Structure formats: C-alpha cells, structure tokens
Amino acid sequence: MKIHRIEVHEVRLEMVEPFVTSFGRIEHRDLLVLKVHSDIGVTFSDVPVLHGPFYNAESVQTARHALCDFLGPKILEEHIDTIKCLHGLMTFVRGHYMAKSGLDTACQHLFAAQAGQSLSQRLGGARERIEVGISIGIYPHIDQLLDRVSRALDEGFARIKVKIKPGWDLEPLRAVRQAFGDIRLMADANSAYVPGDFEVFRKLDGLGLLMIEQPFSPDDLYQHSRLQKKIETPVCLDESVETLEDAELALAIKAGRVINIKLSRVGGLGPAVAIHDLCQDEGIPVWCGGVMETAIGQADCLALASLPNFQLPADIAPSSRYFERDLIDPFVALEKGTIVVPTGPGLGFEIDEKALNDLTLRKVTIE
Ligand code: MG
C-alpha cells in the first residue's frame, strides 16, 4: 500500500458538560482527525491529543508539527505492507505516540477493509460486546458527584471510575460507597500525588476499590511499586506505560497489577496489541481506557477491547456521553452496560463528513 495524501483536520467538539480532572478543566474538545488517501482506499483516524500537554507531553500543536513536518512526509509514497513496516518508518521520531497512533490506526483500517475483515477480526478479537464503565470527573460538591453516579448507574454503566486529587479523594469515594453499596468502583488520580501521600492510599485500601489508577508521576514506576507492596488494592498504570518496554519494566518491578491500555498513548493498535500480549503471558489483566476520542477513536477502542485479555470494563462512551455532535451518526448506544463491536469491514462505520467539515477549525494537507 502507498499513502498519497493526508489531510490533518483540527477539530473542535462541543462538550455536553465540562470534564474536570486533576490536570484541569476541558470546556470543549480540540483534537486532530486525519483523512488518509491511499491506493487501496480512503479512511479517517483520530489523534486524540489534548489542547495542551497535560495528559501526556503532546498537544494539538505538537502533533500537527510531528505529522506535517516529519511523519507524514516520511511515509508518503513509501511501500507500507505491514504495520511493523509503518512503525519502522516512524521510529526516527522519538515519542509523539498519539501522532503516530493516527497513522497506525488509519493503516489498520485500510488493511482490514482490503482483506474484507472487521478491525476486531484483524486484531484477533474474541468478543462481540464490550462491557463499559464510565469515568466521572471532579465536581465542586459531593452531592453533584452522587447525582452523577446515580444517573450513570441508571444508564447501565458496568463500572464507576471517580477522578481524584489531593483534597478530593477519601471523602467522595466513601460517600459513593455508602450511597450505592457494592458497585464496581475505582479511582483515577492522573498522577496527582507525591510519594509522601501514601497514607491516603492506605485509607482508600479499606473501600474495596477495583483498582487505584496512576497515583504518582508517569516517570515514577519505583514509587508505584513501593505503594503496591503496601496496599491490597491493585495499582493500575496508565500514563506510566507509553511503550512495550515501559510495560516490561513495570511488570518486572511489580509496579502495578493492572494496566490501562490506551491505544493512542502507546502509538496505535500495533503497540497496544503487543502490550496486551505481554500482559496476557504474564497473567496481568488489562482494560481499554479512553482520552475522549471522537467516535472514530472509540470504534478503534471497541476493536481493541474485543481481545481476550481485556478483562475489565472499558472506558468507551456511547455517543451522548461527551459531545453535542460527533463524527459518526448514529454511533453506539449502551445496552445493559455493553456496546456491540462493529462487524463491518475496516473501521466499520460511515463517517459524517459534513460534521467533520463543520467542526474543522483549520486543515493542513500533506501531499
Ligand atoms: Mg487514567
């Protein structure tokens, strides 16, 4: 396969409600969407960076820079016959995994469509439905959190994840546990704590949480391994794992007992499957996280989460969760806490190009 042209759309999606985490407040979702033209077809893919380098080191601007000035020109008109070959071409750029992910997923869609396979089939998926949970942001008052959890349970989500930060941790989680009893409940700190904060995790340990996600800095696997020795609750790694090598190190030093695989964070579906396979061999369960992708990225997540070692509910949202208007219409609905894995060839959905064009703030074409 050869790629002839890549359109890089900077898109703004309006949020149903602002989403607040320990690193800030997201009022609207700015990210990149690629339209990739090749000799075997055309597809669309997500580059779900945030507007600034808050979740990881990438942003809308850095991803556009990496794609338009380096990655795009490098791969254009090259023979790309496998995903391994694509990643081989991209290794001269260090990091920038979300930018690379947009090219990885586009190629995966094209290869799958060419073979008449769904993306899930191409990856070796083993499930027809994915059990999904919800990630709930930080609210000013506990009553608002309880109200949101109550609605999420009514909507049928199979697991509740509450974002925490110092000052918003034990009290809100205890309140959720008291109000809703034995639900599947977990916490996500997005790296907001420092090693001196061990005490709060000892107290959280008594709440029977499914896991505590990424308490410390992404670079600090050592402190995660120290914490995991001191508490019963599984520590889950998110931001700390950007590569297969990160995952190998994390497992070797027992820095956690669960990994949240976000395909965009690790450079796409190719690396995500490699991390899944490693964890499966080591007996470590994984689950599929999200970074408020468009419906295109969510479709990639559904295919990934159909692999056998994705044992815990995924953060994949039905259309109505985050955005007023999305790029696939209609996208997916929640049925009894699950979403159906698409079976059509390639991405498995038609893109609403009118929506894409209406929501595009600016566009750069690499050709
Ligand atoms: Mg997380």
Side-chain angles (χ1 to χ4, degrees):
M1 173 184 69
K2 282 185 176 180
I3 292 172
H4 304 311
R5 187 159 87 245
I6 304 167
E7 294 170 29
V8 181
H9 291 252
E10 180 178 340
V11 166
R12 170 167 291 177
L13 302 175
E14 293 306 326
M15 305 281 294
V16 173
E17 61 174 350
F19 191 77
V20 183
T21 72
S22 62
F23 54 74
R25 183 180 173 90
I26 297 169
E27 297 277 355
H28 37 238
R29 184 73 175 97
D30 290 352
L31 75 172
L32 301 179
V33 172
L34 309 182
K35 182 174 183 182
V36 175
H37 302 255
S38 78
D39 58 356
I40 60 169
V42 176
T43 192
F44 298 83
S45 66
D46 249 25
V47 179
V49 283
L50 295 186
H51 60 288
F54 314 127
Y55 165 71
N56 65 359
E58 297 179 80
S59 69
V60 167
Q61 280 211 48
T62 68
R64 186 168 40 224
H65 174 51
L67 284 162
C68 295
D69 296 332
F70 302 103
L71 296 168
K74 176 78 175 180
I75 68 163
L76 234 46
E77 304 302 340
E78 289 284 344
H79 285 283
I80 301 170
D81 294 323
T82 61
I83 289 299
K84 203 174 163 194
C85 165
L86 171 73
H87 283 277
L89 289 169
M90 297 197 296
T91 48
F92 78 110
V93 169
R94 305 280 179 233
H96 296 277
Y97 299 112
M98 286 192 177
K100 290 174 179 173
S101 170
L103 297 175
D104 167 297
T105 51
C107 290
Q108 303 269 11
H109 303 164
L110 292 167
F111 288 144
Q114 187 186 34
Q117 290 179 313
S118 71
L119 200 50
S120 166
Q121 277 174 324
R122 175 174 164 80
L123 300 178
R127 282 192 191 87
E128 291 171 5
R129 291 179 158 274
I130 306 301
E131 199 175 29
V132 298
I134 189 171
S135 176
I136 294 182
I138 292 166
Y139 285 91
H141 302 290
I142 287 181
D143 286 352
Q144 291 165 292
L145 171 67
L146 295 180
D147 178 54
R148 188 67 192 89
V149 173
S150 171
R151 274 192 290 138
L153 293 170
D154 288 345
E155 286 161 338
F157 285 99
R159 179 270 286 143
I160 303 291
K161 165 162 125 178
V162 175
K163 295 283 189 181
I164 59 170
K165 65 177 183 179
W168 179 268
D169 39 41
L170 192 58
E171 221 187 318
L173 279 165
R174 216 178 244 157
V176 172
R177 190 51 101 204
Q178 275 169 5
F180 303 102
D182 192 23
I183 59 170
R184 284 195 277 181
L185 179 65
M186 61 177 284
D188 183 7
N190 287 109
S191 307
Y193 293 83
V194 295
D197 293 329
F198 272 25
E199 196 48 37
V200 71
F201 296 107
R202 275 207 204 90
K203 288 179 179 157
L204 285 172
D205 209 17
L207 290 179
L209 300 177
L210 202 54
M211 67 191 96
I212 298 172
E213 189 175 339
Q214 196 70 40
F216 305 124
S217 163
D219 301 322
D220 206 347
L221 279 177
Y222 172 59
Q223 292 300 337
H224 287 94
S225 78
R226 284 188 63 214
L227 177 65
Q228 185 64 94
K229 285 195 187 80
K230 292 178 198 294
I231 62 174
E232 294 296 318
T233 310
V235 171
C236 169
L237 298 169
D238 174 354
E239 287 91 329
S240 285
V241 177
E242 292 194 316
T243 62
L244 180 64
E245 292 79 5
D246 290 338
E248 285 170 337
L249 176 59
L251 299 194
I253 68 167
K254 299 186 165 47
R257 296 209 297 261
V258 181
I259 292 184
N260 168 353
I261 301 183
K262 292 181 179 168
L263 66 99
S264 60
R265 187 193 69 220
V266 302
L269 286 163
V273 171
I275 294 171
H276 161 274
D277 293 350
L278 169 76
C279 291
Q280 186 167 36
D281 290 346
E282 298 287 329
I284 294 286
V286 302
W287 59 281
C288 178
V291 277
M292 289 192 283
E293 293 86 354
T294 74
I296 300 169
Q298 301 258 30
D300 292 324
C301 290
L302 284 170
L304 180 67
S306 70
L307 269 63
N309 193 39
F310 281 85
Q311 297 185 28
L312 295 151
D315 272 345
I316 301 173
S319 309
S320 54
R321 161 72 177 123
Y322 291 122
F323 308 126
E324 296 284 356
R325 186 181 180 193
D326 208 332
L327 303 180
I328 292 172
D329 183 32
F331 184 44
V332 292
L334 198 62
E335 286 171 45
K336 296 186 180 131
T338 66
I339 296 177
V340 175
V341 179
T343 53
L347 182 65
F349 288 102
E350 288 297 319
I351 304 304
D352 181 351
E353 276 207 74
K354 171 140 186 4
L356 175 63
N357 291 327
D358 290 350
L359 299 171
T360 294
L361 300 176
R362 59 185 283 211
K363 185 175 94 174
V364 185
T365 301
I366 311 165
E367 55 191 342

